[in-house]
Amino acid sequence: MAPSPEKRPRILVIDDDQSTCVLLSQELKAQGYEVVTALNAEDAIKRAYTAAVDLAIVDIFLPGKSGLETIKVLRQEDPHLKVFVLTGADSL
């Protein structure tokens, strides 16, 4: 079910693989969501603060700060931010 046009939730997709960001972004936009993407933690933190996101989809392995460290920083600003963690790693 797509969100209502009045309040479209904004989702932040954080993944260092650009093709993953594009794929997730396209699918989420097709479902009616607004999407902001970032390829690293620093960019994600800046975008989250300026874009007022409702949900973050975070790759666990990022250059610089890890996905878990990024989540901690994001939640310091918004303790109620909902987060999905994803990874393509097969070692977990």
Side-chain angles (χ1 to χ4, degrees):
M1 179 176 188
S4 68
E6 304 87 47
K7 170 62 170 110
R8 293 178 18 174
R10 185 171 292 137
I11 300 173
L12 174 61
V13 175
I14 311 165
D15 197 306
D16 61 330
D17 179 47
Q18 187 168 3
S19 62
T20 300
C21 283
V22 170
L23 180 67
L24 286 172
S25 180
Q26 289 174 339
E27 183 59 34
L28 292 166
K29 286 178 180 178
Q31 297 298 320
Y33 297 97
E34 290 186 38
V35 180
V36 179
T37 61
L39 297 174
N40 59 60
E42 290 74 24
D43 194 29
I45 292 163
K46 290 176 192 171
R47 290 174 191 253
Y49 293 156
T50 59
V53 298
D54 300 295
L55 170 74
I57 300 175
V58 184
D59 183 6
I60 200 158
F61 297 112
L62 295 171
K65 286 183 178 20
S66 73
L68 296 178
E69 291 171 314
T70 304
I71 292 167
K72 286 179 186 177
V73 173
L74 293 174
R75 285 213 166 141
Q76 286 174 351
E77 181 68 21
D78 181 0
H80 302 290
L81 178 67
K82 292 169 183 54
V83 176
F84 286 135
V85 177
L86 84 119
T87 187
D90 59 2
S91 63
L92 295 176

